[in-house]
Each structure stands twice: as C-alpha cells, then as structure tokens.
C-alpha cells in the first residue's frame, strides 16, 4: 500500500498561487495513476487532476487552465501547481492512487488545507 503525505496548502487571496506536494512511498507508486482530490465543506469529494506514469493527464473542468499536475518518479512526488485561485477552490486536498479510490481501499489521511479568501 502506498503511503502518502500531502503538503503545501495554506491561506491565499483570490488570484494567488499555491503548489501542493504529495510524497509517496510504496511499491505501487511507479505504476499507479495518481490523483489529486479535494473535498470542500458540505460537498462531495472530487477528482481534481490525475497523472499516469506516462503522458496521460486528466483535469476536472473546474480547474482546467489554472491547475497543472506533474509527477517526479525519482522523488516519488506528485505536484499540483494551482494558479488563479478562486474562493471555490477552498477545500482539503488529498492525493491517492486512482486504483485505490475506485476499489474502495483508499485511505484519506490528513490532506492539506487550501483556503482562498480575502
């Protein structure tokens, strides 16, 4: 099972930027499709972006053009560069393998809080 630690969240003003990091450990990291998820208060958890070990990338419509997901297999780290942040981006952000989420085996840890507010 992959162990994940998210970081990089914080409080920013609308229009600001943050870069989230997810450091992973475990034997599945190199082959799994990794995703960033978020859950806002009172809302369902949603997939924000995903990246494979190759070139395949997926973004939620709400973040297209503003967020960029990247992956460094040497550092076992997934990044989410978030630009032009909006208040509606406020949520706790998590990373997880898509396979684990789909199979119901994902563990949602601490995540990292992103708050966009004036």
């Amino acid at each position: 099972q992959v162990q994940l630690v998210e970081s990089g969240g914080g409080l920013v003003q609308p229009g600001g930027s943050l870069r989230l990091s997810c450091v992973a450990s475990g034997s599945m990291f190199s082959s799994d499709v990794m995703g960033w998820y978020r859950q806002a208060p009172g809302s369902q958890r949603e997939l924000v972006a995903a990246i494979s070990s190759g070139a395949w990338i997926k973004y939620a419509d709400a973040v297209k053009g503003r967020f960029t997901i990247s992956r460094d297999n040497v550092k076992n780290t997934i990044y989410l560069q978030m630009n032009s942040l909006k208040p509606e981006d406020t949520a706790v952000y998590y990373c997880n393998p898509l396979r684990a989420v789909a199979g119901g085996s994902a563990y949602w840890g601490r995540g990292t809080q992103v708050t966009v507010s004036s």
Side-chain angles (χ1 to χ4, degrees), residues 45-111:
R45 186 182 298 110
E46 64 175 337
L47 177 65
V48 176
I51 185 168
S52 73
S53 60
W56 181 85
I57 292 176
K58 176 185 175 69
Y59 294 104
D61 288 342
V63 307
K64 286 181 179 177
R66 300 188 298 117
F67 290 10
T68 303
I69 189 171
S70 60
R71 178 171 185 155
D72 187 333
N73 290 329
V74 175
K75 297 180 179 180
N76 291 342
T77 302
I78 305 296
Y79 303 97
L80 186 67
Q81 178 66 46
M82 306 185 295
N83 299 326
S84 302
L85 283 163
K86 304 175 180 179
E88 50 263 45
D89 296 318
T90 297
V92 179
Y93 285 71
Y94 307 88
C95 60
N96 256 313
L98 268 66
R99 182 182 302 171
V101 177
S105 63
Y107 174 75
W108 304 100
R110 296 175 182 176

